[in-house]
Amino acid sequence: MRLENCKKRYSGESERARKPEETLEIIQPVAKKCGITRVADITGLDRLGIFVFSCIRPGAADGAISVYNGKGMTESSARVSAIMEGIERYSAEINDRELVYERFSSLGEKKAVNPSTLILPAGVDPDSKIPWYQGFDIISEEDVLVPAHSVFHPVPYGAVRFFRTSTNGIASGNTPEEAVLHGLCEVIERDAWSLAEASGFSGPVLKNITDPNLNKVISLFEDNGVEVTLRDITADNGIPTIAAVSDDVKLKDPSLLCIGMGTSLSPVVAALRAITEVAQSRATQIHGAREDTTDADFRKKLGYDRTKRLNKKWFETSESKDFSEMPMFESDDFLTDISYVSKKLQEKSGVSRIIVSDLSIVDADIKVVRVVVPGLETFSIDSERAGERCRNARRNRVFRSKPEH
């Protein structure tokens, strides 16, 4: 998948090649092909007024009814976000794709990604005979095979479990470049979150926010008795990553102690993504509580005070940082952004490969990709996999980017 210049046409809580209203028209037939039967507005379940939608798809890979969620500052952007999530998840299933079953030692470094660089769980043989799928290294600009476990979700276990699959790095977009940038940002976000969890340090609280749109969203929380804190968890690569943590001091409900993450070259966009993700988490938790789900019941039994103590690093406010000190890079082209991120990952995080696998439905106008960056961490979503970056963070409690002079 060779990338080309691609202009940005919309910027809100995310940057896109088309306005949400235009994308909404395009994705309707794609959603039908993916088996999506209903899109529901669940905004009204919460008192914040930030738009949250759910997308329903019966008969997913495991045969169950699957629900995917999306959020946004407008009804259109939230609806698109939910539908795109559903399209991503359908596209990430193996279905009838052709896989190669082989050992890495038989393929070699030139043809395949070394599984050891993907941070395997303890006891897993990196030379196991596993399924592989095609990818493209955007750094070396070469075709390369990558373990199917890091591309698809789910992957049938078969003879070898290898590692748990996830959705990390799966992204959709109006163009391949848009999808790749968003997939890259998600992988970077999970890496930064992993380092925060491994180090036990959740970064400084961000103060003195002057952006009017961001302050407007923060006010929606504060005016409704919900404290929200933004924290800088940017890793060594300097790509802005922000965590938003909320505490419903009015209800003191443990299930509403929510966290959201956002990564973008614009710190304002990163913050908006994090804070709208909190709103999504709140709405889905409230919806889950109404449905008497196991997760909601577990949180209730744990209790508000204990849940907060167990996650105290996210609620501490002793260290702060001015929002204007966040690193920022501006361009009007997705390819320019991708090139910048690639350079930062290579120079600052020791990355040597960025693999993109095209998962798009052949005749669909929406592009779906899986981005895999060997060496970056996924510990935050899979505690069985912790690599050298996590070990360094535990030892040194240093993972944040240093100011450039």
Side-chain angles (χ1 to χ4, degrees), residues 38-71:
R38 188 162 68 93
V39 182
D41 184 353
I42 62 171
T43 307
L45 294 178
D46 197 4
R47 62 187 190 274
L48 298 179
I50 296 173
F51 291 100
V52 180
F53 278 74
S54 284
C55 167
I56 292 85
R57 179 182 157 226
D62 58 3
I65 294 176
S66 294
V67 180
Y68 315 112
N69 301 298
K71 75 286 186 188

Side-chain angles (χ1 to χ4, degrees), residues 6 70-71 77 110 119 165 183 204 206 326 348 353 403:
C6 176
K71 75 286 186 188
S77 62
K110 289 188 176 181
I119 310 174
T165 63
L206 291 165
M326 291 288 293
K348 303 295 185 179
R353 276 185 149 165

Side-chain angles (χ1 to χ4, degrees), residues 106-123:
S106 299
L107 297 171
E109 294 274 0
K110 289 188 176 181
K111 288 187 65 176
V113 172
N114 189 334
S116 297
T117 64
L118 300 176
I119 310 174
L120 304 179

